[in-house]
Amino acid sequence: DAGVTQSPTHLIKTRGQQVTLRCSPKSGHDTVSWYQQALGQGPQFIFQYYEEEERQRGNFPDRFSGHQFPNYSSELNVNALLLGDSALYLCASSLGDRAFGYTFGSGTRLTVV
Amino acid sequence: QQQVKQSPQSLIVQKGGISIINCAYENTAFDYFPWYQQFPGKGPALLIAIRPDVSEKKEGRFTISFNKSAKQFSLHIMDSQPGDSATYFCAASRDSGAGSYQLTFGKGTKLSVIP
């Protein structure tokens, strides 16, 4: 049974560019949450998608947006990249919106130069 | 302020010893407290979790102790092994009632178990 799959695993972008990260949830899960983990820090909540809508949002600017598809997979988009956006972006899937039962993917390492 | 404070930042323990990591939270609405283990290049994996209706939970070598009045909880790893070397994160969230259910993480503890 495949867990949470994220792509790509690594990405290098130039400041000002736009990036799209992808996440396929664990089989049976219908909710996707995105977290940003800066080097040496704990993950920080970006937003959560359920039933193709953004349900909860953390303290991140509008440059961060997302989407959920009918098959429950999700995308995270970041516009106008800043050097400070360099981080590991983690996707967690769950059944329902509670944190209980979260399964995290291995993340996408984004480097902005 | 939704904040979880974790200590120590790093920990070196000899094989067979006890590793202890502490966390404190501020938001009394939190009612779900998981611990995650993260290896380099991997996402966090749930290790053990506790709810505030119990003061202790044990799973194998891992034990969570929870002090609701002090708003503190800790992870104890008994008989620590080199394979336990990883970064450990405490976290907290609401799990009931109205409001956000996002996880708030501590900053992590890098554990090194030496032979």
Side-chain angles (χ1 to χ4, degrees), chain B residues 42-90:
Chain B
K42 299 292 185 183
L46 179 64
L47 200 57
I48 187 173
I50 198 168
R51 298 180 192 277
D53 53 344
V54 296
S55 60
E56 187 175 281
K57 182 175 181 180
K58 183 176 180 180
E59 289 185 1
R61 296 185 294 110
F62 302 93
T63 300
I64 298 180
S65 296
F66 185 83
N67 185 329
K68 188 174 180 178
S69 60
K71 293 189 287 185
Q72 294 175 346
F73 58 112
S74 60
L75 175 69
H76 291 63
I77 305 174
M78 312 300 287
D79 186 27
S80 299
Q81 299 296 313
D84 296 331
S85 297
T87 300
Y88 292 80
F89 292 96
C90 62

Side-chain angles (χ1 to χ4, degrees), chain A residues 11 13-21 76-81:
Chain A
L11 200 53
K13 287 287 189 177
T14 303
R15 189 172 47 183
Q17 284 188 316
Q18 178 263 344
V19 68
T20 298
L21 310 181
L76 164 64
N77 301 293
V78 187
N79 294 322
L81 284 167

